[in-house]
Amino acid sequence: MAKVSLTEFLSLDGVVQAPGGPNEDTSGGFGCGGWVVPYVDEDMMRIVGERFRAAEGFLLGRRTYEIFAAHWPRVTDPDDPVASRLNNLPKYVASTTLDSVEWHNSTLIAGDVAEAVAELKRRGEGELQIHGSGTFAQYLMAHDLIDEFRLWVYPVVLGQGKRLFANGAVPTALRLTDSRTTGSGVAVQTYERAGRPTFGSFELAADQGLSGGDC
């Protein structure tokens, strides 16, 4: 069975929108695009290369697919750890608006997306990677289809923008399996799912009869 991993770049306040450039995603009037770029360093690129070399295929949302397809086919260096994987390995694209996908070895997911991804997991091997694709990632999280979260937390607060773990996210416990920090101060955290959250209380025994909220 294949493992599905999610790699996301997040600001300190949880924003995932338009990390790579000012025009990447301006929806909602977002004006802070490109916030990852000042933190790119050798450590970041080394870790990115390690992660891409582990891929056996990719799951992409429509917006990320279009951004990648416009850029990576133009990178033809066979030794580039990102381009060599993205340009050649299978890519499965979730979209309700695209009629076709032209990038080499790309397949448009038709019908029930959750069932299609579950089937890819059942009959696959190795690692299917999601990069970006925030809306698609939220959908897969809601269906318990992501096994590993690779969260790059950047030391910047944006105060606006789309968030990965927005209101309505399924409550989930995670187990930290790896932690690194780049020279520019990016915390690279890897988590595995650990079931549903458990809860306790610091209240004194006499206060524990008070009702709390639902989760």
Side-chain angles (χ1 to χ4, degrees):
M1 176 176 286
K3 174 177 74 173
V4 172
S5 70
L6 170 67
T7 294
E8 287 284 358
F9 297 159
L10 293 86
S11 68
L12 203 59
D13 53 338
V15 174
V16 296
Q17 188 169 354
N23 299 315
E24 197 172 80
D25 180 4
T26 59
S27 61
F30 187 69
C32 299
W35 45 272
V36 159
V37 178
Y39 300 96
V40 174
D41 61 9
E42 290 184 3
D43 291 334
M44 175 180 170
M45 299 313 298
R46 185 186 74 259
I47 298 170
V48 166
E50 290 175 5
R51 298 289 167 79
F52 270 90
R53 279 189 285 269
E56 295 295 336
F58 300 95
L59 298 167
L60 300 173
R62 189 267 306 171
R63 183 182 295 275
T64 299
Y65 168 80
E66 290 181 332
I67 292 169
F68 282 8
H71 174 78
W72 288 109
R74 297 158 57 194
V75 181
T76 57
D77 180 359
D79 295 323
D80 186 292
V82 179
S84 61
R85 310 300 282 176
L86 282 173
N87 286 328
N88 293 293
L89 291 176
K91 293 166 286 289
Y92 303 96
V93 184
S95 174
T96 58
T97 57
L98 294 177
D99 296 321
S100 63
V101 284
E102 305 302 327
W103 191 7
H104 172 68
N105 213 0
S106 294
T107 300
L108 189 63
I109 298 176
D112 188 321
V113 173
E115 178 53 37
V117 173
E119 178 61 21
L120 287 171
K121 288 185 66 172
R122 283 192 292 268
R123 62 181 175 84
E125 295 181 357
E127 184 176 325
L128 290 171
Q129 295 185 352
I130 309 162
H131 293 270
S133 306
T135 301
F136 181 37
Q138 290 172 338
Y139 172 84
L140 295 182
M141 285 190 290
H143 289 82
D144 284 335
L145 288 169
I146 297 176
D147 304 299
E148 185 172 86
F149 295 80
R150 296 168 175 173
L151 307 180
W152 296 61
V153 182
Y154 287 75
V156 59
V157 174
L158 300 175
Q160 60 173 300
K162 300 173 184 175
R163 288 166 169 79
L164 177 63
F165 301 108
N167 288 343
V170 176
T172 305
L174 300 172
R175 180 186 304 107
L176 182 68
T177 60
D178 186 59
S179 180
R180 312 187 206 182
T181 304
T182 70
S184 61
V186 181
V188 186
Q189 315 281 18
T190 302
Y191 297 91
E192 293 179 348
R193 288 192 308 163
R196 296 304 184 211
T198 57
F199 305 94
S201 175
F202 287 114
E203 296 176 344
L204 298 175
D207 298 328
Q208 290 185 8
L210 299 175
S211 61
D214 296 326
C215 183

